[in-house]
Amino acid sequence: MTGAAELDPKQTPVVPELDRLELSDRFASLWPVAEACLRRVYGSHPDCEAWLQRIAEVVRELAEARSPDLRLRDRTRAQWWTGGDVVGYSAYVDRFAGDLRRLQDRLGYLKELGVSYLHLLPLFKAREGESDGGFAVSDFGLVEPRLGTNADLQALARGAHAAGIGLVLDLVCNHTSDDHAWAEAARDGDQTFKDYYIVLPDAAAVAEYETRLIDVFPDVAPGNFTYCEEMGGWVWTTFYPYQWDLNYANPAVFCEMTAAMLRLANLGVDGLRMDSAPFLWKREGTDCRNLPEVHGLLAAWRALLAIAAPGVILKAEAIERIEDVKSYFGEAAALPECHLAYNNGVMTALWASLASGEAEPARRLVKAAGRKPDWGVWVNYVRCHDDIIWSALGPYLSVEGQARCSAFYAGQVSGSFSEGAAFQAVAGVPSSTNGMTAALVGVGDDDPDSLAARRLLLLYAVSFALDGIPVIWMGDEIALRDPPAAEDDPEPHSDGRWLQRPQMDWARADLRGDPRTLAGHVFRKLALFARIRAREAAFDARNVARPAKADPPSVLSFVRGEGAQSVQCVANFSDAPCLARLAMDAHGWFDLLTQEVGTADDAPLGPYQVRWLVGQR
Ligand code: GLC
């Protein structure tokens, strides 16, 4: 293996033979893994052999097309996603910066915050008009013209890399827009492309499937099928009617999406968020989520990516119950799937604990999250662009408990501090919740020491202390509230999730240097959390959070790391002060967040206070 310095593309050209050799080594060891997974899924397909050959060719072609600087990046950043110094930020390009070029100018802002992982929501050419926030993609390889060009995206990736920031983009792999060229060819009667989609010929079959499927958008897009005359029946549309589910039972679809994935990797993308992964495979008689074939496809993609672009990682977007989410890390170390997965169970439980003032829901989910495969890393977050789905807490919180949370955050419970909104109503399932973090914690004025401000910081301090990569949702770092009411919004949307997708308020962000303002206070705290994480070895993602005994019911307590290097996070979910018990073998404590010290074996916590404790050293 040649050292990175010798391979610097600016100094000397990459030695082609050596590079070839390494690719062929990777191919020799990983193609059999991919092949085995694909045979499990497509073994009975009449053209299985031909497709395996075609997929291998596509992978080779795109591996060889990878640029020297990206190959160098692949070699020099082993296991980068496990470091305690990785802090994420997620945003829509237009809402955050206008377009990709102007986003370059905001990289400094992200660096100031401590960000090293930037997840940009879908930015490829989307359907005209409604596009589910860009999740109805018309071209997987062309940047949405409103946001820039492919050259702008490559320039952004280079600028981000130079600033020490990795770029993560969505691969909307479950569906295309109804105006994608494949969908248009299918509607024009081309059988090859008709087979890219799933069409049921009669209403009885639709009704039969519907008995087992969930309804993702029961209010705004009920049902999972959309009638289309030209397609000769009901097209499978899990989400909006204009998002046509791809037919992964057809190996041509897997081959096309593999090419799309590797082309994205070759644009300089460091990670891919596998949108709606649970829905990729359908089988009659099931709920068509999380099926074994989905895992086969993901394990194959992981191996193919490791051949062609080994520095690029996969993140599962599987907003399911935690036991199902964990399966997206893969069944064995030798058969991994996604490097990362959203820790939606813990995120939702933190909100449940905040509503009740009791740490128990969060404690249970932190414990459950800890029982994950060691090769998987969580993405921890407080909010994202989607709604908070309470049913994901089953079986750790009863349906009644979930319904209480739903009502609490919709502000329907007396004494609730929240100004969120309920989303979707299905009999027997508590509505999910929309709203920015600031609205959900009840930020009313700009007092940096309000209880609401403390609640927001509690959620972020816990999320930064958990094992994995913490990802900040755009605007939370300045306690940004919901966008203006629909009637004042220049771009009104029927889907309630736009409540948590405001325009970035740069005038407010300009206050970030002043800790007397709420924006400044929150920004500085989040930047502090990032700095402390980066320097303490305990925050390496491989040190799983172990819940500790904590006497008052309002306190969540967990320990990261071992011995003298361990850190204990204690968080008081109530507005009443209390004492948290030290779980480390130490004589007194030091709080990394406040620099306070104590000699007792417990530490006082104010309303909603969080401490990151180390033993007196
Ligand atoms: C994911 C996205 C969501 C989108 C859906 C369909 O869940 O996060 O915003 O509506 O996929 O693409």
Side-chain angles (χ1 to χ4, degrees):
M1 176 81 142
T2 306
E6 291 162 64
L7 282 170
D8 183 341
K10 289 193 205 87
Q11 308 298 325
T12 41
V14 172
V15 183
E17 291 75 12
L18 175 72
D19 196 61
R20 282 242 160 73
L21 184 74
E22 292 207 340
L23 170 60
S24 63
D25 279 348
R26 293 199 301 271
F27 205 93
S29 58
L30 291 161
W31 172 254
V33 177
E35 189 185 358
C37 296
L38 293 173
R39 278 190 194 285
R40 269 209 244 164
V41 178
Y42 297 118
S44 59
H45 192 281
D47 299 327
C48 178
E49 296 309 317
W51 279 111
L52 285 175
Q53 211 181 325
R54 180 66 199 131
I55 292 164
E57 277 163 20
V58 164
V59 171
R60 261 188 210 287
E61 275 163 32
L62 289 163
E64 290 186 353
R66 193 157 173 80
S67 71
D69 53 340
L70 292 176
R71 290 180 195 198
L72 177 66
R73 193 167 166 81
D74 288 338
R75 286 167 202 210
T76 49
R77 299 180 73 239
Q79 304 276 312
W80 62 267
W81 62 95
T82 59
D85 55 343
V86 186
V87 170
Y89 191 85
S90 178
Y92 279 101
V93 175
D94 53 353
R95 303 243 144 188
F96 180 57
D99 59 27
L100 289 169
R101 282 192 186 194
R102 281 178 280 172
L103 207 152
Q104 286 266 11
D105 303 334
R106 301 298 184 187
L107 292 175
Y109 173 83
L110 296 175
K111 283 306 290 174
E112 229 182 284
L113 187 56
V115 170
S116 51
Y117 163 118
L118 175 61
H119 166 225
L120 296 176
L121 283 143
L123 50 78
F124 288 95
K125 189 165 176 353
R127 186 178 183 274
E128 293 278 324
E130 283 290 326
S131 68
D132 187 18
F135 282 99
V137 180
S138 321
D139 189 328
F140 292 107
L142 186 71
V143 167
E144 164 62 44
R146 207 169 44 82
L147 303 175
T149 62
N150 284 27
D152 293 336
L153 176 60
Q154 281 175 292
L156 175 68
R158 281 195 299 274
H161 293 169
I165 298 175
L167 192 59
V168 178
L169 298 186
D170 275 271
L171 181 62
V172 185
C173 49
N174 178 65
H175 41 264
T176 71
S177 160
D178 62 356
D179 70 353
H180 190 288
W182 303 337
E184 284 177 350
R187 267 198 308 268
D188 286 348
D190 186 330
Q191 193 55 45
T192 301
F193 292 103
K194 269 193 164 172
D195 290 343
Y196 276 35
Y197 300 97
I198 307 158
V199 186
L200 300 189
D202 59 80
V206 167
E208 172 60 24
Y209 268 108
E210 288 285 16
T211 58
R212 293 186 183 81
L213 302 177
I214 56 157
D215 209 349
V216 181
F217 300 132
D219 293 346
V220 285
N224 286 273
F225 299 88
T226 302
Y227 185 74
C228 176
E229 187 76 46
E230 297 113 299
M231 292 291 278
W234 280 261
V235 179
W236 200 305
T237 54
T238 301
F239 298 92
Y240 278 95
Y242 52 76
Q243 287 165 303
W244 289 17
D245 286 45
L246 284 163
N247 174 23
Y248 276 89
N250 177 358
V253 167
F254 180 83
C255 187
E256 294 268 20
M257 294 310 286
T258 302
M261 169 186 282
L262 299 182
R263 285 192 198 107
L264 277 187
N266 285 353
L267 287 174
V269 172
D270 298 274
L272 294 165
R273 173 185 182 273
M274 304 302 281
D275 182 61
S276 310
F279 299 88
L280 296 181
W281 197 269
K282 303 12 181 182
R283 183 177 316 115
E284 216 173 335
T286 73
D287 66 359
C288 300
R289 268 152 69 211
N290 311 308
L291 292 175
E293 288 83 352
V294 171
H295 295 289
L297 297 177
L298 287 167
W301 269 330
R302 168 84 177 249
L304 299 176
L305 200 57
I307 294 172
V312 178
I313 64 171
L314 296 178
K315 168 165 71 167
E317 196 254 338
I319 308 306
E320 301 283 332
R321 291 179 167 202
I322 195 160
E323 302 312 327
D324 286 324
V325 178
K326 283 187 255 182
S327 65
Y328 286 85
F329 291 130
E331 67 189 46
L335 202 59
E337 295 175 28
C338 294
H339 303 71
L340 308 177
Y342 282 99
N343 201 351
N344 65 299
V346 171
M347 178 278 289
T348 311
L350 292 176
W351 285 106
S353 283
L354 196 62
S356 63
E358 290 182 359
E360 188 54 17
R363 202 188 66 81
R364 282 194 198 156
L365 268 292
V366 169
K367 198 163 174 207
R371 293 190 296 263
K372 65 167 174 62
D374 342 318
W375 59 89
V377 170
W378 289 118
V379 165
N380 295 303
Y381 62 121
V382 172
R383 285 299 286 117
C384 71
H385 66 291
D386 284 330
D387 43 322
I388 302 175
I389 300 177
W390 301 104
S391 55
L393 284 178
Y396 294 94
L397 187 67
S398 64
V399 177
E400 296 71 45
Q402 297 165 24
R404 275 198 298 278
C405 291
S406 170
F408 184 93
Y409 285 105
Q412 295 159 354
V413 169
S414 85
S416 166
F417 48 72
S418 173
E419 292 172 34
F423 185 52
Q424 316 280 11
V426 186
V429 183
S431 292
S432 59
T433 296
N434 282 324
M436 287 291 281
T437 303
L440 300 188
V441 298
V443 167
D445 55 25
D446 267 343
D447 174 7
D449 200 34
S450 66
L451 289 178
R454 289 171 181 225
R455 290 183 201 112
L456 186 153
L457 287 171
L458 171 141
L459 295 172
Y460 269 97
V462 173
S463 156
F464 270 65
L466 288 165
D467 55 282
I469 300 178
V471 175
I472 301 165
W473 173 234
M474 187 208 85
D476 280 356
E477 74 280 14
I478 52 168
L480 189 61
R481 284 189 54 114
D482 296 353
E487 55 274 21
D488 305 326
D489 191 337
E491 278 181 78
H493 291 275
S494 55
D495 181 324
R497 292 173 301 165
W498 287 88
L499 258 190
Q500 53 268 11
R501 302 168 184 178
Q503 296 287 348
M504 181 62 175
D505 183 342
W506 289 104
R508 189 173 171 86
D510 285 344
L511 301 172
R512 66 188 179 279
D514 183 353
R516 292 164 307 179
T517 64
L518 177 61
H521 178 64
V522 173
F523 188 96
R524 289 163 64 108
K525 286 285 184 206
L526 266 51
L528 173 72
F529 300 162
R531 282 199 303 279
I532 298 175
R533 269 177 63 89
R535 67 162 200 253
E536 294 291 322
F539 289 114
D540 182 296
R542 287 163 287 200
N543 288 325
V544 168
R546 305 187 303 277
K549 211 168 152 36
D551 295 332
S554 67
V555 175
L556 172 69
S557 170
F558 56 87
V559 178
R560 304 277 313 275
E562 300 291 341
Q565 300 225 304
S566 55
V567 174
Q568 181 185 0
C569 171
V570 288
N572 179 13
F573 280 82
S574 140
D575 58 6
C578 65
L579 286 175
R581 188 104 53 93
L582 202 59
M584 293 170 297
D585 188 16
H587 307 287
W589 47 266
F590 172 76
D591 180 359
L592 295 168
L593 296 177
T594 62
Q595 314 269 306
E596 288 168 305
V597 288
T599 49
D601 59 4
D602 48 28
L605 288 174
Y608 301 115
Q609 186 175 0
V610 177
R611 291 187 189 276
W612 291 357
L613 303 173
V614 291
Q616 285 257 10
R617 296 169 175 171

